[in-house]
Amino acid sequence: MRNRDLPRTYRVKSFGCQMNVYDGERMAELLAAKGIAAAPEGEEADLVVLNTCHIREKAAEKVYSDIGRLVKAGKEAGRKPMIAVAGCVAQAEGEEIMARAPAVGMVVGPQAYHRLPEMIARAARGERATDTEMPADAKFAALPARGLGGRKSAPTTFLTVQEGCDKFCTYCVVPYTRGSEISRPYRDLLIEAEKLIEAGAREITLLGQNVNAWSGEDGKGRPVGLDSLIRALAELPGLHRVRYTTSHPNDVTDGLIAAHAEVDKLMPYLHLPVQSGSDRVLKAMNRSHSAESYLKLLDRFRAARPDIALSGDFIVGFPGETGTEFEETLQLVDAVGYAQAFSFNYSPRPGTPAATMDGQVPPDVMYERLQRLQAAINRDQLAFNAASVGKRCKVLVERKGKHPGQWLGKSPWLQSVFFEGEASIGDLVEVELAEAGPNSLAGRLVETALA
Ligand code: 5AD
Ligand code: SF4
């Protein structure tokens, strides 16, 4: 590569999970702190960061097609953008990317992006650089303090409290791309939350691959879990709502369940992936819980917070899954009545144990199962939303809707609610719910700006 100027503008494109969205924001702040400005909408940037996802298929292919598109757009504009590949594909396939895509100047893993500025300086000197160091502790310590550089925060924002995973589900690439479980310190998290609130955040979602495995020491040096962190955040003035995602059934504590009964600001919503309703499949997945123990756990959450909305993730077509085992998943869905759930075809991930297991399920069988599962989930989502019609609920306003005078916000149960009337982004208003669809509700504004 030839020597070149330092970039003046950047664009970060994040794919995949909410943790990537959070990382993307931190990268943007880091670049801004180094005097690189966000590229205006519709303009090519000098530096493009592709913050990639590797959880399911075709993610890597997507990266190569994005790189191709950037090179082509650059050629048409008579320039060569500096390209950095970040995120989980960078971690898993960094060397291949460097070998296959000469236009890429930097490959940076999810635990190493605090070193982007040095890598950019090297790229400007014509050196290509790869950094896929782990674990994440160093990253959080090295990132600039979260001042948001005078930028406003969206009313709903994310805060990564825990990263990595030690569970090694046999289908999953996360333990390899994000590394082992680490928890960020309690004090740092409270400071970051205060900064986010100062910048306009009204709802904070605590993030972690296994967020409920978070552990730390409180201000008095006592060992504490996620429930204590939630309680401390709920004390912060200006913050209306706290959420957390994603949880693992084996890390649920009595304290977390009790927090749902006792902390008003903790929203009545639980995302607790189960993946399958078959105990044989769960064992082959190395999930270390059964369908029954999962259902019992949900009963305990429901006892603490009867109106809690339940959400989950499912994989269909795991190697060896029989038709009968798939039926057990449908039975579990019927038993739970999810307010929301996410379902995916099994995707073999290179390097994971399941990728080489016998009994890979043919795509057409997998597709047919996914259709049936999604129909069942949609039915339950619609039923959950329909049951809210006629009720009033608080809505945190997130943005304008498509129609003039229309707003979009979220109910406590994470339903999208459309309404019309006097409101501003960040307001907490009261809406009477009038119409339900599988993915949203429409209502009438009854009280403006409650807080
Ligand atoms: N194939 C399909 N889905 C997967 N997930 C994780 N790994 C795979 C895979 N190899 C799903 C799980 C997880 C969610 C984030 O992605 O359901 O909970
Ligand atoms: Fe992946 Fe399982 Fe860890 Fe979730 S708990 S990130 S599915 S290995």
Side-chain angles (χ1 to χ4, degrees):
M1 294 218 336
R2 282 184 298 114
N3 282 12
R4 52 191 303 173
D5 294 336
L6 282 168
R8 276 170 302 153
T9 60
Y10 73 84
R11 174 162 298 120
V12 179
K13 276 181 78 177
S14 290
F15 305 89
C17 68
Q18 292 155 331
M19 204 167 272
N20 257 14
V21 174
Y22 175 87
D23 287 341
E25 280 173 15
R26 298 295 306 253
M27 287 184 220
E29 282 166 26
L30 178 64
L31 298 172
K34 296 289 166 191
I36 309 175
E41 200 66 42
E43 261 179 43
E44 297 296 324
D46 297 339
L47 165 69
V48 179
V49 182
L50 299 174
N51 190 19
T52 61
C53 170
H54 202 232
I55 195 90
R56 285 174 293 274
E57 217 140 21
K58 305 213 179 97
E61 290 318 308
K62 191 166 167 29
V63 177
Y64 291 111
S65 66
D66 272 359
I67 295 168
R69 207 169 312 133
L70 286 170
V71 171
K72 188 163 169 265
K75 258 191 199 138
E76 279 161 13
R79 57 211 287 260
K80 259 192 184 172
M82 200 178 257
I83 302 174
V85 179
C88 291
V89 180
Q91 189 70 35
E93 299 186 13
E95 278 173 30
E96 290 97 295
I97 295 170
M98 276 300 192
R100 251 180 79 174
V104 172
M106 288 159 270
V107 163
V108 59
Q111 313 307 10
Y113 63 76
H114 54 290
R115 287 195 284 262
L116 259 177
E118 298 144 49
M119 298 175 84
I120 293 167
R122 286 178 60 187
R125 293 198 298 270
E127 296 167 27
R128 301 174 83 201
T130 300
D131 192 339
T132 48
E133 282 284 297
M134 299 227 208
D137 316 43
K139 169 180 75 184
F140 288 115
L143 283 169
R146 218 133 188 227
L148 302 180
R151 288 191 311 161
K152 283 202 56 82
S153 163
T156 57
T157 190
F158 300 125
L159 173 53
T160 293
V161 304
Q162 181 278 340
E163 265 203 69
C165 182
D166 298 336
K167 305 285 187 291
F168 290 93
C169 298
T170 52
Y171 51 80
C172 187
V173 80
V174 165
Y176 312 95
T177 56
R178 291 266 167 181
S180 50
E181 287 177 7
I182 68 118
S183 293
R184 296 183 60 199
Y186 182 88
R187 205 182 103 84
D188 294 4
L189 294 170
L190 289 181
I191 293 173
E192 188 167 332
E194 279 171 353
K195 295 270 190 232
L196 290 168
I197 298 164
E198 250 172 53
R202 296 290 166 262
E203 172 181 302
I204 294 182
T205 301
L206 307 178
L207 295 182
Q209 256 96 30
N210 280 300
V211 70
N212 56 332
W214 181 87
S215 66
E217 282 183 1
D218 70 4
K220 298 197 172 100
R222 292 173 300 204
V224 287
L226 186 69
D227 53 310
S228 300
L229 182 63
I230 290 170
R231 287 176 195 271
L233 288 167
E235 299 289 318
L236 297 179
L239 187 66
H240 301 327
R241 293 175 165 186
V242 182
R243 302 181 186 274
Y244 60 95
T245 198
T246 288
S247 302
H248 193 286
N250 289 7
D251 292 319
V252 170
T253 60
D254 293 346
L256 185 61
I257 295 175
H260 275 282
E262 293 160 13
V263 181
D264 286 344
K265 288 186 188 174
L266 178 59
M267 291 295 101
Y269 185 94
L270 173 70
H271 181 67
L272 195 66
V274 61
Q275 315 298 355
S276 167
S278 149
D279 287 345
R280 195 210 57 83
V281 173
L282 288 171
K283 194 149 191 284
M285 288 177 163
N286 192 31
R287 288 290 298 179
S288 55
H289 59 77
S290 64
E292 195 190 323
S293 67
Y294 175 81
L295 291 173
K296 285 210 168 117
L297 205 49
L298 295 188
D299 285 345
R300 290 171 58 209
F301 276 99
R302 278 188 163 139
R305 182 78 206 224
D307 68 339
I308 197 163
L310 299 170
S311 163
D313 289 348
F314 292 90
I315 296 177
V316 304
F318 184 80
E321 183 190 71
T322 64
T324 317
E325 287 166 345
F326 171 67
E327 296 291 336
E328 290 180 278
T329 298
L330 291 178
Q331 283 158 20
L332 183 135
V333 168
D334 288 350
V336 173
Y338 285 98
Q340 206 180 22
F342 305 90
S343 50
F344 314 101
N345 278 333
Y346 167 70
S347 163
R349 305 287 64 217
T352 59
T356 49
M357 281 180 187
D358 291 338
Q360 300 286 326
V361 175
D364 54 331
V365 175
M366 204 140 63
Y367 180 77
E368 190 260 338
R369 288 181 191 169
L370 189 67
Q371 298 302 305
R372 288 180 61 200
L373 178 58
Q374 289 185 339
I377 290 169
N378 277 341
R379 172 203 67 200
D380 290 351
Q381 281 183 192
L382 181 59
F384 183 84
N385 288 345
S388 329
V389 170
K391 293 185 185 155
R392 291 179 173 196
C393 77
K394 287 183 182 160
V395 170
L396 180 61
V397 183
E398 288 181 13
R399 59 180 171 86
K400 286 188 171 160
K402 277 199 194 116
H403 307 297
Q406 190 191 43
W407 297 94
L408 174 65
K410 292 272 167 35
S411 78
W413 305 279
L414 209 62
Q415 296 150 300
S416 292
V417 178
F418 289 94
F419 68 91
E420 280 165 20
E422 274 299 298
S424 307
I425 292 173
D427 283 354
L428 198 60
V429 298
E430 190 156 78
V431 173
E432 189 174 280
L433 302 167
E435 272 174 67
N439 297 313
S440 65
L441 287 151
R444 193 173 61 83
L445 183 68
V446 283
E447 247 183 88
T448 54
L450 298 164

